[in-house]
Amino acid sequence: MKFTLSWLKEHLDTDETLEKLADKLTMIGLEVESIEDKAKALAPFTIARVISAEQHPNADRLRVCMVDTGNGAAPVQVVCGAPNARTGLVSVFSPPGTYIPGKDITLGIGTIRGVESRGMLCSAAELKISEDHDGIMELPADAPLGTSYVQWAALGDPVLEINLTPNRQDCTGVHGIARDLAAADMGKFRDPGIKPVKGEFPCPVKVTVEDEKLCPGFALRLVRGVKNGPSPEWLQKRLTSIGLRPINALVDITNFMTYDRARPLHVFDAAKVKGNLAVRRAKDGETLLALDGRTYTLDSSICVIADDHGVESLAGVIGGEASGCSEATTDVLIESALWNEINIAQTGRKLGINSDARYRFERGVDPAFMVPGLEMATRLVTEICGGAPSENVVVGNAFGDDRVIDFPLTEVKRLAGIDVPFPEIRRILGHLGFMVAGTGPVVKVAIPSWRSDVHGKADIVEEIVRIVGVDQVPMTPFERGDAPRKPVLKPLQLRTRRAKRALAARGMVEAVTWSFISKPHAELFGGGKAELELANPIAADLSDMRPSLLPGLVAAAQANSDRGFADVALFEVGQVFKGDRPEDQFTSAAGIRHGFSSSAGLGRNWSGSATTNVFDAKADAFAVLLAAGAPMQALQVVSGGAAWLHPGRSGTIQIGPQNVLGHFGELHPRVLEQLGADGPMIAFEVILDSLPEAKQRATRAKPAIELSAFQPVSRDFAFIVDRTVKAGDILRAAQGADKKLITGVTVFDVYEGKGIDEAKKSVAIAVTLQPREKTMTDQEIESVAAKIVAEVNKKTGGVLR
């Protein structure tokens, strides 16, 4: 919600500074997101006149303009591509060195198609004062040349933007914001009554409402003999100051009412309306060409305003082009109505329309202001455009329901912990529009019509506390009692968080995919069971609950690859389904790497290539298990994995054969083909539920981390072993040579080929020795190395190469 300081002061008599008003707005729940001072940002832009506009010699759509900047200097040459650039046009000029906010560039002297350009003639969009970028700005012929545009247009008025919560529909208008500030002692609220405009003749157009639930109230009035044209200067400046483009007086009045009083209205050209109006549900297949230039196909869930010809407006969302007002309009129908909030929201979402009217109606508007709003709009129309108004046509309830709450004064202390005297409670509620009857201990509070969000005693306490100040609520510690407080997060929630952080730290990007996949894809990963089929799937290819996270991740990786981003590393932590019972639902962590998205930069890569491989998947899986608190010493890696993995390039992580934690490896080419993906892709999936619970108490106290004061020593060994020997067996043998000194053993090279017997292979390992008591001597290091060679030879038959 945007408004200017001067606009606010039309409703609030105040001498407070802008900074103090902004701070108070945030404190009372109307958070200020930004304050824009256009006077400073647009200071270099001045008013200038185009003396001549000649065709560019080298471009059909460009013109070479000579511009009088009004500073007494010689005319400036500007190359301009706007279709409305012409001799005599008064517009806005920016010299070289000016920052153009709409383009986020700093203007310089340039040469365009061989012609020098020393400045720029600007559109409203380039100045960020509206969305109009169809041409350069056109100012009145008598606009003073050389004058600062922002001063002449009175745009120096600071613009505030506040972020509204959905319940504060009353503050979608400046009038409501001023009311809240007045209640917070920021000034005196100006709320003059709205005098009815006497109708001079009966309204010839009748209104029927098909369903009162869709339209609780509807008010209409005809004004004959209007003269539509440009709005007066004050109205145009009000709209342009918040980024709205003035259209014509009739439309501008409705936009002004929307932002000033939170009362969206609609105007019909009466000559274009055939017969009477009916509020009804649309018929399936009906269409409407709306004011945004798009044609919408409607169905029976959408509420519309129609005449004898057909649909003329989407109720509460947007009007139709056919009955829109133009400068030729002489008779106008002004509509002020109440709409069902849920239906408005559904219509807007279904058709993808975000309008100012929808924004307010889906939050709820003041029902008691329906008719006064029509009266106020009628007065503005007759004052600006002239004309004779008819009598009002009102259908339905124009006031809303009365709501009175019995409010114990002790509720403020009980719920908020602060003591607020009754006179102050009465003052605050009175300034906010509530009526208080009685003196206590229980008073009756009548809720104003514009606060449909207030339903109970706690809501009234909230109103009092936000005006008194949330900072006045005392800090009260929780009573812990004798027993310590239990952790807020469950172990599985902690594992989920830590798994996500670990994978993100390894350069992977989190993805969120559908929980549903097609049956053929589910069958590839052990799913496709009848109990996992959806009774009412949202799409044919989303028919089954997923047994694995990998199908969705593969699809996401392929979608990136199809768009030229083949090197991807994606992960997801979410739920998978093995059956229809609660115990068959698990939390899984899975990841996909494709292309050159390898983790080689995170450690020593024995393969010598940055291309992703099976060891990346293994490292990702182990990173998840480590972060999730798995007992790393107890983990076993056995060759071969699930059916969806390549049988020779995969592994299974387990704690004994009965507790399989997950799988890693290269996806099977057959699986990739059926998923429609290009390989190779490496993947892993770990079931976090399968991890054993950590011990509640350690058997003996251990420091969180043990750091040695001595330098670690690394030694490399290459062993010739039979091809059938597993690298994991070599690692375990080397580790067992001296478990106290050896803190790490990794494979960094495997070689088969020239110089090695065909039945043999060379496996190179790096062993890290970490002394704890003293720096190791060469003799001690050699002694440990000899133990490693002997242990590997004993356990695997390996011979030092």
Coordinates of all heavy atoms in Angstrom, one line a residue, residues 594-660:
H594 N 25.2 -34.3 -12.2 CA 25.2 -34.6 -13.6 C 26.2 -33.7 -14.3 O 26.4 -32.5 -13.9 CB 23.8 -34.3 -14.2 CG 23.7 -34.6 -15.7 ND1 23.5 -33.6 -16.7 CD2 23.9 -35.7 -16.4 CE1 23.5 -34.1 -17.9 NE2 23.7 -35.4 -17.8
G595 N 27.0 -34.2 -15.2 CA 27.9 -33.4 -16.0 C 29.2 -33.2 -15.2 O 29.8 -34.1 -14.6
F596 N 29.7 -31.9 -15.1 CA 30.9 -31.6 -14.5 C 30.7 -31.1 -13.1 O 31.6 -30.5 -12.5 CB 31.7 -30.6 -15.3 CG 32.3 -31.1 -16.5 CD1 31.6 -31.1 -17.7 CD2 33.6 -31.7 -16.5 CE1 32.2 -31.6 -18.9 CE2 34.2 -32.2 -17.6 CZ 33.5 -32.2 -18.8
S597 N 29.5 -31.3 -12.5 CA 29.2 -30.9 -11.2 C 29.7 -31.8 -10.2 O 29.0 -32.6 -9.5 CB 27.7 -30.7 -11.0 OG 27.4 -30.1 -9.8
S598 N 31.0 -31.9 -10.1 CA 31.7 -32.9 -9.2 C 32.1 -32.2 -7.9 O 32.3 -31.0 -7.8 CB 32.9 -33.5 -9.9 OG 33.7 -34.2 -9.0
S599 N 32.3 -33.0 -6.9 CA 32.8 -32.5 -5.6 C 34.3 -32.6 -5.5 O 34.9 -32.6 -4.4 CB 32.2 -33.3 -4.4 OG 32.5 -34.7 -4.5
A600 N 35.0 -32.7 -6.7 CA 36.4 -32.9 -6.7 C 37.1 -31.8 -6.0 O 38.2 -32.0 -5.3 CB 36.9 -33.0 -8.1
G601 N 36.6 -30.5 -6.1 CA 37.2 -29.4 -5.4 C 37.2 -29.5 -3.9 O 37.9 -28.7 -3.2
L602 N 36.4 -30.4 -3.3 CA 36.2 -30.5 -1.9 C 37.2 -31.4 -1.3 O 37.3 -31.5 -0.1 CB 34.8 -30.9 -1.5 CG 33.7 -30.0 -2.0 CD1 32.3 -30.7 -1.8 CD2 33.7 -28.7 -1.3
G603 N 38.0 -32.1 -2.0 CA 39.0 -33.1 -1.5 C 39.8 -33.7 -2.6 O 39.7 -33.3 -3.8
R604 N 40.6 -34.6 -2.3 CA 41.5 -35.2 -3.3 C 40.7 -36.2 -4.1 O 40.0 -37.1 -3.6 CB 42.6 -36.0 -2.5 CG 43.8 -36.4 -3.4 CD 44.9 -37.0 -2.5 NE 46.0 -37.3 -3.3 CZ 47.2 -37.8 -2.8 NH1 47.3 -38.0 -1.5 NH2 48.2 -38.2 -3.6
N605 N 40.8 -36.0 -5.4 CA 40.0 -36.8 -6.4 C 40.9 -37.8 -7.1 O 41.7 -37.4 -8.0 CB 39.3 -35.9 -7.3 CG 38.4 -36.7 -8.3 OD1 38.0 -37.8 -8.0 ND2 38.2 -36.1 -9.5
W606 N 40.9 -39.1 -6.7 CA 41.8 -40.1 -7.3 C 41.6 -40.3 -8.8 O 42.5 -40.7 -9.5 CB 41.7 -41.4 -6.6 CG 40.4 -42.2 -6.9 CD1 39.3 -42.1 -6.1 CD2 40.2 -43.1 -7.9 NE1 38.3 -42.9 -6.6 CE2 38.8 -43.5 -7.7 CE3 40.9 -43.5 -9.0 CZ2 38.2 -44.4 -8.6 CZ3 40.3 -44.4 -9.9 CH2 39.0 -44.9 -9.7
S607 N 40.4 -40.0 -9.3 CA 40.1 -40.3 -10.7 C 40.8 -39.2 -11.7 O 40.9 -39.5 -12.8 CB 38.6 -40.2 -11.0 OG 38.1 -38.9 -10.8
G608 N 41.2 -38.1 -11.1 CA 41.9 -37.1 -11.9 C 41.0 -36.3 -12.8 O 41.5 -35.7 -13.8
S609 N 39.7 -36.4 -12.7 CA 38.8 -35.7 -13.5 C 37.7 -35.0 -12.7 O 37.4 -35.4 -11.6 CB 38.1 -36.7 -14.5 OG 37.0 -36.1 -15.2
A610 N 37.3 -33.8 -13.2 CA 36.2 -33.1 -12.5 C 34.8 -33.6 -12.9 O 33.8 -33.1 -12.3 CB 36.3 -31.6 -12.9
T611 N 34.8 -34.5 -13.8 CA 33.5 -35.1 -14.2 C 32.9 -35.9 -13.0 O 33.6 -36.6 -12.3 CB 33.6 -36.0 -15.4 OG1 34.2 -35.3 -16.4 CG2 32.2 -36.5 -15.8
T612 N 31.7 -35.8 -12.7 CA 31.0 -36.4 -11.6 C 31.1 -37.9 -11.7 O 31.0 -38.5 -12.8 CB 29.6 -36.0 -11.4 OG1 29.1 -36.5 -10.2 CG2 28.7 -36.4 -12.6
N613 N 31.4 -38.6 -10.6 CA 31.5 -40.1 -10.6 C 30.9 -40.7 -9.4 O 30.4 -40.0 -8.5 CB 32.9 -40.5 -10.8 CG 33.8 -39.9 -9.7 OD1 33.6 -40.1 -8.5 ND2 34.9 -39.2 -10.1
V614 N 31.0 -42.0 -9.3 CA 30.3 -42.7 -8.2 C 30.9 -42.3 -6.8 O 30.2 -42.3 -5.8 CB 30.4 -44.2 -8.4 CG1 31.9 -44.7 -8.3 CG2 29.6 -45.0 -7.4
F615 N 32.1 -41.9 -6.8 CA 32.7 -41.5 -5.5 C 32.1 -40.2 -5.0 O 32.2 -39.9 -3.8 CB 34.2 -41.5 -5.6 CG 34.8 -42.8 -5.9 CD1 35.2 -43.1 -7.2 CD2 35.0 -43.8 -4.9 CE1 35.8 -44.4 -7.5 CE2 35.5 -45.0 -5.2 CZ 35.9 -45.3 -6.5
D616 N 31.7 -39.3 -5.9 CA 31.0 -38.1 -5.4 C 29.7 -38.5 -4.7 O 29.3 -38.0 -3.7 CB 30.6 -37.3 -6.6 CG 31.9 -36.6 -7.3 OD1 32.7 -36.1 -6.5 OD2 32.0 -36.7 -8.5
A617 N 28.9 -39.5 -5.3 CA 27.7 -39.9 -4.6 C 28.0 -40.5 -3.3 O 27.2 -40.3 -2.3 CB 27.0 -40.9 -5.5
K618 N 29.1 -41.3 -3.2 CA 29.4 -41.9 -1.9 C 29.8 -40.8 -0.9 O 29.3 -40.9 0.3 CB 30.6 -42.9 -2.1 CG 31.1 -43.5 -0.8 CD 32.3 -44.4 -1.1 CE 32.8 -45.0 0.3 NZ 34.1 -45.8 0.1
A619 N 30.5 -39.8 -1.3 CA 30.9 -38.8 -0.4 C 29.7 -38.0 0.1 O 29.6 -37.6 1.2 CB 31.9 -37.8 -1.1
D620 N 28.8 -37.7 -0.9 CA 27.5 -37.0 -0.5 C 26.7 -37.8 0.5 O 26.3 -37.2 1.5 CB 26.7 -36.8 -1.7 CG 27.3 -35.8 -2.7 OD1 28.1 -35.0 -2.3 OD2 27.0 -35.9 -3.9
A621 N 26.6 -39.1 0.3 CA 25.9 -39.9 1.3 C 26.5 -39.9 2.6 O 25.8 -39.8 3.7 CB 25.7 -41.3 0.7
F622 N 27.8 -40.1 2.7 CA 28.5 -40.1 3.9 C 28.5 -38.7 4.6 O 28.4 -38.7 5.9 CB 30.0 -40.5 3.7 CG 30.2 -42.0 3.8 CD1 29.8 -42.9 2.8 CD2 30.8 -42.6 5.0 CE1 29.9 -44.2 2.9 CE2 30.9 -43.9 5.1 CZ 30.5 -44.8 4.1
A623 N 28.4 -37.6 3.9 CA 28.3 -36.3 4.5 C 27.0 -36.2 5.2 O 26.9 -35.6 6.3 CB 28.4 -35.2 3.4
V624 N 25.9 -36.7 4.6 CA 24.6 -36.7 5.2 C 24.6 -37.6 6.5 O 24.1 -37.1 7.5 CB 23.5 -37.3 4.2 CG1 22.2 -37.5 4.9 CG2 23.3 -36.3 3.1
L625 N 25.2 -38.8 6.4 CA 25.2 -39.6 7.6 C 26.0 -39.0 8.7 O 25.6 -39.1 9.9 CB 25.7 -41.0 7.2 CG 24.9 -41.8 6.2 CD1 25.7 -43.0 5.6 CD2 23.6 -42.3 6.9
L626 N 27.1 -38.4 8.4 CA 27.9 -37.8 9.4 C 27.1 -36.7 10.1 O 27.1 -36.5 11.3 CB 29.2 -37.3 8.8 CG 30.2 -36.5 9.8 CD1 30.6 -37.5 10.9 CD2 31.4 -36.0 9.0
A627 N 26.5 -35.8 9.3 CA 25.8 -34.7 9.8 C 24.6 -35.1 10.6 O 24.2 -34.5 11.6 CB 25.3 -33.8 8.7
A628 N 24.0 -36.3 10.2 CA 22.8 -36.8 10.9 C 23.1 -37.5 12.2 O 22.2 -38.0 12.9 CB 21.9 -37.6 10.0
G629 N 24.4 -37.7 12.5 CA 24.8 -38.4 13.7 C 24.9 -39.9 13.6 O 24.7 -40.6 14.6
A630 N 25.1 -40.4 12.4 CA 25.2 -41.9 12.3 C 26.5 -42.4 12.9 O 27.5 -41.6 12.9 CB 25.2 -42.3 10.8
P631 N 26.6 -43.6 13.4 CA 27.8 -44.1 14.0 C 28.8 -44.5 12.8 O 28.7 -45.6 12.3 CB 27.4 -45.3 14.8 CG 26.1 -45.8 14.1 CD 25.4 -44.5 13.6
M632 N 29.7 -43.6 12.5 CA 30.5 -43.8 11.3 C 31.4 -45.0 11.4 O 31.7 -45.6 10.3 CB 31.3 -42.5 11.0 CG 30.5 -41.2 10.9 SD 29.2 -41.3 9.6 CE 30.2 -41.3 8.2
Q633 N 31.9 -45.3 12.6 CA 32.8 -46.5 12.7 C 32.1 -47.8 12.4 O 32.7 -48.8 12.0 CB 33.4 -46.6 14.1 CG 34.7 -45.8 14.3 CD 34.5 -44.3 14.1 OE1 33.4 -43.8 14.0 NE2 35.7 -43.6 14.0
A634 N 30.7 -47.8 12.6 CA 30.0 -49.0 12.4 C 29.5 -49.2 11.0 O 28.9 -50.2 10.6 CB 28.8 -49.0 13.4
L635 N 29.7 -48.2 10.1 CA 29.1 -48.2 8.7 C 29.9 -49.2 7.9 O 31.1 -49.3 8.0 CB 29.1 -46.9 8.1 CG 28.3 -45.8 8.7 CD1 28.3 -44.5 7.9 CD2 26.9 -46.2 8.9
Q636 N 29.2 -49.9 7.1 CA 29.8 -50.9 6.1 C 29.3 -50.5 4.7 O 28.2 -50.1 4.5 CB 29.4 -52.3 6.4 CG 29.8 -52.8 7.8 CD 29.2 -54.1 8.1 OE1 28.3 -54.6 7.4 NE2 29.6 -54.7 9.2
V637 N 30.3 -50.6 3.8 CA 29.9 -50.4 2.4 C 30.1 -51.7 1.6 O 31.2 -52.3 1.6 CB 30.8 -49.3 1.8 CG1 30.5 -49.1 0.3 CG2 30.6 -48.0 2.5
V638 N 29.1 -52.2 1.0 CA 29.2 -53.4 0.2 C 28.9 -53.1 -1.3 O 28.1 -52.1 -1.5 CB 28.2 -54.5 0.7 CG1 28.6 -54.9 2.1 CG2 26.8 -54.0 0.7
S639 N 29.5 -53.8 -2.2 CA 29.3 -53.5 -3.6 C 27.9 -53.9 -4.0 O 27.2 -54.7 -3.4 CB 30.3 -54.3 -4.4 OG 30.1 -55.7 -4.2
G640 N 27.4 -53.2 -5.0 CA 26.1 -53.4 -5.6 C 25.1 -52.6 -4.8 O 25.2 -52.4 -3.6
G641 N 24.0 -52.2 -5.5 CA 23.0 -51.4 -4.8 C 21.6 -51.8 -5.2 O 21.4 -52.9 -5.6
A642 N 20.7 -50.8 -5.2 CA 19.3 -51.1 -5.6 C 19.2 -51.3 -7.1 O 20.2 -51.1 -7.8 CB 18.5 -49.9 -5.2
A643 N 18.1 -51.8 -7.5 CA 17.9 -52.2 -8.9 C 18.0 -51.1 -9.8 O 18.2 -51.2 -11.0 CB 16.5 -52.9 -9.0
W644 N 17.7 -49.8 -9.3 CA 17.8 -48.7 -10.2 C 19.2 -48.1 -10.4 O 19.4 -47.1 -11.1 CB 16.9 -47.6 -9.7 CG 16.8 -47.4 -8.2 CD1 15.9 -48.0 -7.4 CD2 17.6 -46.7 -7.4 NE1 16.1 -47.6 -6.1 CE2 17.2 -46.8 -6.0 CE3 18.8 -45.8 -7.6 CZ2 17.8 -46.2 -4.9 CZ3 19.4 -45.2 -6.5 CH2 18.9 -45.4 -5.2
L645 N 20.2 -48.8 -9.8 CA 21.6 -48.4 -9.9 C 22.4 -49.3 -10.8 O 22.0 -50.5 -11.0 CB 22.3 -48.3 -8.6 CG 21.8 -47.2 -7.6 CD1 22.4 -47.4 -6.3 CD2 22.1 -45.8 -8.2
H646 N 23.4 -48.9 -11.4 CA 24.3 -49.7 -12.3 C 24.9 -50.8 -11.4 O 25.5 -50.5 -10.3 CB 25.4 -48.8 -12.9 CG 26.2 -49.5 -13.9 ND1 27.0 -50.6 -13.7 CD2 26.3 -49.2 -15.3 CE1 27.6 -50.9 -14.8 NE2 27.2 -50.1 -15.8
P647 N 24.8 -52.1 -11.7 CA 25.3 -53.1 -10.8 C 26.8 -53.1 -10.5 O 27.2 -53.5 -9.5 CB 24.9 -54.4 -11.6 CG 24.7 -54.0 -13.0 CD 24.2 -52.6 -13.0
G648 N 27.6 -52.6 -11.4 CA 29.0 -52.5 -11.2 C 29.5 -51.2 -10.8 O 30.7 -51.1 -10.5
R649 N 28.7 -50.2 -10.6 CA 29.1 -48.9 -10.2 C 28.2 -48.4 -9.1 O 27.7 -47.3 -9.2 CB 29.1 -48.0 -11.4 CG 30.0 -48.4 -12.6 CD 29.8 -47.6 -13.8 NE 30.6 -48.1 -14.9 CZ 30.5 -47.7 -16.2 NH1 29.7 -46.7 -16.4 NH2 31.1 -48.3 -17.2
S650 N 28.0 -49.1 -8.1 CA 27.1 -48.7 -7.0 C 27.5 -49.4 -5.8 O 28.3 -50.4 -5.8 CB 25.7 -49.1 -7.4 OG 25.5 -50.5 -7.6
G651 N 27.0 -49.0 -4.6 CA 27.3 -49.5 -3.4 C 26.1 -49.4 -2.4 O 25.2 -48.5 -2.6
T652 N 26.1 -50.2 -1.4 CA 25.1 -50.1 -0.3 C 25.7 -49.8 1.0 O 26.8 -50.4 1.3 CB 24.3 -51.4 -0.2 OG1 23.6 -51.7 -1.5 CG2 23.3 -51.4 0.9
I653 N 25.1 -48.8 1.8 CA 25.6 -48.5 3.1 C 24.7 -49.1 4.1 O 23.5 -49.0 4.1 CB 25.6 -46.9 3.2 CG1 26.4 -46.3 2.1 CG2 26.2 -46.6 4.6 CD1 26.3 -44.8 2.1
Q654 N 25.3 -49.8 5.0 CA 24.5 -50.5 6.0 C 25.3 -50.7 7.3 O 26.5 -50.4 7.5 CB 24.2 -52.0 5.5 CG 25.5 -52.8 5.2 CD 25.2 -54.1 4.6 OE1 24.3 -54.2 3.7 NE2 25.9 -55.2 4.9
I655 N 24.5 -51.0 8.4 CA 25.1 -51.4 9.7 C 24.6 -52.8 9.9 O 23.6 -53.1 10.5 CB 24.5 -50.5 10.8 CG1 24.8 -49.0 10.5 CG2 25.2 -50.9 12.1 CD1 24.3 -48.0 11.5
G656 N 25.4 -53.7 9.3 CA 25.0 -55.1 9.3 C 24.0 -55.3 8.2 O 23.4 -54.4 7.7
P657 N 23.7 -56.6 7.8 CA 22.8 -56.9 6.7 C 21.4 -56.5 7.0 O 20.6 -56.4 6.0 CB 23.1 -58.4 6.5 CG 23.6 -58.9 7.8 CD 24.4 -57.8 8.4
Q658 N 21.0 -56.4 8.2 CA 19.6 -56.2 8.5 C 19.2 -54.7 8.6 O 18.1 -54.4 8.6 CB 19.3 -56.8 9.9 CG 19.5 -58.3 10.0 CD 18.7 -59.0 8.9 OE1 17.6 -58.8 8.7 NE2 19.4 -60.0 8.3
N659 N 20.2 -53.8 8.6 CA 19.9 -52.4 8.7 C 20.6 -51.6 7.6 O 21.7 -51.1 7.7 CB 20.3 -51.8 10.0 CG 19.8 -50.4 10.3 OD1 19.1 -49.8 9.5 ND2 20.3 -49.8 11.3
V660 N 19.9 -51.6 6.4 CA 20.4 -50.9 5.2 C 20.0 -49.4 5.4 O 18.8 -49.0 5.5 CB 19.8 -51.5 4.0 CG1 20.2 -50.6 2.8 CG2 20.3 -52.9 3.8

